[in-house]
Amino acid sequence: MKRNIVIAVVTAAALVGGGTATALAVAGDDDPTSVTRADDDREDRVEGRSDDRDGDDDDDTARAAAPGEVTAAEAVAAALDHTPGTAVSAELDDGSWEIDVLAEGDAWHTVRIAPDSGKVLGAQKDDEDDAAEVRAALKGSSVTAEDAAKAAAAKGTVVSVDLDDDGDDQGWEAQTRASAGDERDWNVGLKTASVTADRDDD
């Protein structure tokens, strides 16, 4: 009788408290030890909510990922790992890095990179006809788009790098964003990676 009362009390406590209860009830020296365990439905429900919540947090983190977690230089490197060639521009646009790559045979590709993970989101072949101009501008150059992005990063968070292959002022153009949100334009040399303020930005 005492054992039944103890079991009933423990079971009721488990149901009311919603937790897992394990009890040892001993009615006498001759009675076997009885173990009572209440299934923890609440724990399963909590775990389910926790899993869902974790998933939501991941989604929220992805949606709220601050631009620039993956740097311009890292985005260029990831794009070239996917599509070998010469990176000609990198721009943080519409929630992803877009890298223009001039591949062998003068084929152009745009590779999209996730700004929060560095993963390749997609790639497509583009129709461009200025491959000759680009190759001519880069002839003898020792500074790549990745190098230019790294050099410009000393001025702020790089949000774009682009090759200027027109006229006498050929070089890399980079745009940076300061912590306050202010954007500045910079020129990066093709041979020395020297960073100077864009005169047109003054």
Side-chain angles (χ1 to χ4, degrees), residues 2-71:
K2 291 181 180 178
R3 183 180 63 181
N4 292 340
I5 292 174
V6 171
I7 292 173
V9 169
V10 171
T11 303
L15 294 175
V16 171
T20 300
T22 301
L24 296 178
V26 181
D29 293 339
D30 296 332
D31 290 343
T33 300
S34 174
V35 177
T36 302
R37 178 180 178 86
D39 291 335
D40 192 3
D41 293 335
R42 177 178 163 276
E43 183 177 333
D44 292 340
R45 291 194 301 272
V46 170
E47 286 179 357
R49 284 200 304 270
S50 177
D51 291 343
D52 292 341
R53 186 174 63 247
D54 290 346
D56 291 342
D57 286 348
D58 290 343
D59 292 342
D60 291 341
T61 300
R63 285 193 297 269
E69 287 185 5
V70 172
T71 66

Side-chain angles (χ1 to χ4, degrees), residues 46 50 68 77 88-89 102 104 129 140 143 155 158 168 179 200:
V46 170
S50 177
V88 177
S89 70
L102 176 58
E104 291 184 6
D129 57 2
V143 179
K155 304 297 184 180
V158 179
D168 297 330
S179 57
D200 294 335

Side-chain angles (χ1 to χ4, degrees), residues 147-161 172-189 193-198 201:
D147 295 332
K150 289 179 179 178
K155 304 297 184 180
T157 301
V158 179
V159 294
S160 72
V161 175
W172 295 104
E173 295 179 341
Q175 186 175 68
T176 61
R177 181 179 300 157
S179 57
D182 298 332
E183 295 185 346
R184 294 281 316 265
D185 294 328
W186 308 89
N187 295 321
V188 182
S194 59
V195 180
T196 57
D198 190 333
D201 191 42

Side-chain angles (χ1 to χ4, degrees), residues 75 78-79 82 92-99 110-124:
H82 181 272
L92 192 58
D93 185 40
D94 293 333
S96 67
W97 283 104
E98 291 188 1
I99 317 298
T110 297
V111 184
R112 290 172 45 246
I113 304 294
D116 56 342
S117 66
K119 293 181 179 180
V120 175
L121 299 176
Q124 66 182 36

